[in-house]
Amino acid sequence: MTRIWAERGSRPRAPRDQRYNWAYLFGAVCPARGAGAALVLPHANTDAMNLHLVEISRRVTPGAHAVVTLDGAGWHQTGGRLRLPENVSLLKLPPYSPELNPTENIWQFLRQNKLSNRVFNSYDDIVDACCNAWNDLTKTPDRIRSIATRSWASVSV
């Protein structure tokens, strides 16, 4: 669910479904390049995170190194079970600091503009919606830059 404009005191209608089927969109963006890497997976766990790290590694410019910011999600804290590719490092954020993670704004944008207030007929439709939302986002590098760039995170070389 997401916020929508409505007259004060009214109860706007929105689709609702009592079934539960989940797909997890693992995504990372590079604000400098306006690029992203993502996978849609059936589970959010260490194995899925390891697959995501491999996908990020594949998308890093040759000769470059990616620093991936992580929050306190359970699959980020797995007692050394994450397998890091050579061109990827992890930066763990302090607890309760989502404002430091620009990807949180990416998720908010996708929820508000692509993935909320919808009912899907099947699991495949959920996966397709996630893939379409991510692909639409990555077609607009300037949008990624505007959502995920932080002035305090700029690197001067």
Side-chain angles (χ1 to χ4, degrees), residues 59-75:
R59 302 292 181 118
V60 173
T61 303
H65 193 88
V67 177
V68 178
T69 57
L70 300 174
D71 57 19
W75 52 91

Side-chain angles (χ1 to χ4, degrees), residues 125-139:
D125 290 341
I126 296 170
V127 171
D128 289 344
C130 290
C131 291
N132 291 336
W134 188 263
N135 289 336
D136 285 348
L137 175 71
T138 58
K139 286 178 188 172

Side-chain angles (χ1 to χ4, degrees), residues 27-29 69 98 100-108 134 147-148 150:
V29 295
T69 57
L100 296 178
N101 189 350
T103 305
E104 293 297 332
N105 297 103
I106 296 290
W107 300 138
Q108 180 183 13
W134 188 263
I147 294 172
R150 300 292 185 271

